[in-house]
Amino acid sequence: MRQPLVAGNWKMNGSKASIATLLDGIKAGLASVEKAALVVCPPFVYLEQVAEALRGTRIALGAQNVSHEPSGAFTGEVSAAMLKDMGCAYVIVGHSERRSYYGDTDLLVAKKFAAVRAAGMKPILCVGETLEEREKNVTEAVVARQLAAVIELEGAAALQDGVIAYEPVWAIGTGRTATPQQAQDVHAFIRGRIAAIDEAVAEKVQILYGGSVKGANAEELFGQQDIDGGLIGGASLNADEFLAIGRAGR
Ligand code: 13P
């Protein structure tokens, strides 16, 4: 049985003050979330503040991106070892915003996955198709290609050290959620691809759904057989919404 996981991707939002308020709100309602593991992924500059505020709670800390390089002359970059040092347990890699605005390729994402894993943290590997790709009926090919890059570099067994997040690009920040069946179909496809190589890994790996998840639609999404929780953008900036999502599902 896979434990449900709900991760908040705060993206480039927040301030010291707003983050303090948000975390107070989440901590105040934390007892109502019984089953799901919770993670919050603030911008790099707030990691220390958030790590401090989470101390002694069961909420884990995550980051939104990482360099694939271990250290050295890479101005503006942050290494996996630094994130581990700050107390991160999870790191998002391959978010569609990184892929589309900052040129993160499948290979670079695979190298980031490897760097996070080597540092002893869990990569949250994002995959997903654009609207154009869905309309061309190439969703499965796109997701398979994104997954294959990691499997080729690290092997399928490496996936059990991480988490996969299926985030259809057309559902991110648009208010247009994939239907539970659309999401389940892609989640089952992903699990099937992994099972074809290693059934035990496929059974174990958590596959999250992301894209306009809210308290109001989380129950139905997370009720699907292959959906093990969510990667939450906008709604994770609101404590009550984030907690409601945390309470949803299996
Ligand atoms: P929204 O929940 O705002 O659609 O964002 C989803 C996402 O990109 C999480 O990584």
Side-chain angles (χ1 to χ4, degrees):
M1 190 67 191
R2 296 177 295 269
Q3 191 193 11
L5 175 69
V6 173
N9 174 9
W10 294 354
K11 308 192 180 182
M12 196 171 73
N13 292 295
S15 62
K16 283 198 256 186
S18 73
I19 286 171
T21 305
L22 175 57
L23 291 173
D24 281 349
I26 295 173
K27 286 195 283 185
L30 191 54
S32 70
V33 179
E34 286 172 12
K35 279 177 278 181
L38 299 180
V39 183
V40 292
C41 304
F44 289 143
V45 290
Y46 298 117
L47 283 172
E48 180 151 29
Q49 179 191 345
V50 176
E52 195 55 45
L54 295 182
R55 209 175 301 279
T57 75
R58 62 178 192 85
I59 307 170
L61 183 64
Q64 300 174 16
N65 186 31
V66 65
S67 171
H68 67 291
E69 296 285 0
S71 66
F74 300 101
T75 302
E77 293 294 290
V78 172
S79 72
M82 292 171 184
L83 296 176
K84 175 85 178 167
D85 197 25
M86 296 306 290
C88 289
Y90 292 83
V91 183
I92 299 169
V93 298
H95 192 280
S96 67
E97 287 148 19
R98 299 290 325 168
R99 293 178 189 264
S100 63
Y101 305 147
Y102 302 100
D104 284 19
T105 61
D106 291 335
L107 179 59
L108 183 63
V109 172
K111 288 180 179 173
K112 290 182 176 192
F113 184 103
V116 172
R117 184 170 169 250
M121 298 176 291
K122 278 185 172 284
I124 301 177
L125 170 67
C126 300
V127 297
E129 82 289 1
T130 62
L131 183 58
E132 197 188 352
E133 289 163 339
R134 174 159 285 265
E135 284 171 349
K136 279 196 208 146
N137 272 325
V138 293
T139 296
E140 292 188 351
V142 169
V143 169
R145 189 201 72 220
Q146 292 168 334
L147 201 58
V150 173
I151 295 174
E152 275 162 31
L153 190 71
E154 288 281 271
L159 292 172
Q160 72 191 348
D161 297 335
V163 176
I164 296 169
Y166 168 57
E167 298 208 307
V169 178
W170 47 272
I172 295 176
T174 57
R176 187 178 161 192
T177 318
T179 66
Q181 192 59 53
Q182 281 175 321
Q184 165 60 23
D185 288 349
V186 180
H187 282 232
F189 171 76
I190 293 169
R191 206 178 297 286
R193 291 291 286 200
I194 302 167
I197 309 169
D198 191 325
E199 276 195 38
V201 172
E203 196 46 46
K204 205 177 146 205
V205 68
Q206 290 159 311
I207 308 179
L208 313 182
Y209 168 78
S212 299
V213 178
K214 313 185 266 289
N217 59 25
E219 188 73 46
E220 217 190 341
L221 285 160
F222 298 176
Q224 302 297 311
Q225 191 181 343
D226 289 294
I227 302 184
D228 307 312
L231 182 56
I232 319 301
S236 73
L237 299 169
N238 178 300
D240 291 339
E241 277 291 307
F242 188 61
L243 290 164
I245 296 166
R247 284 190 295 271
R250 291 167 285 155

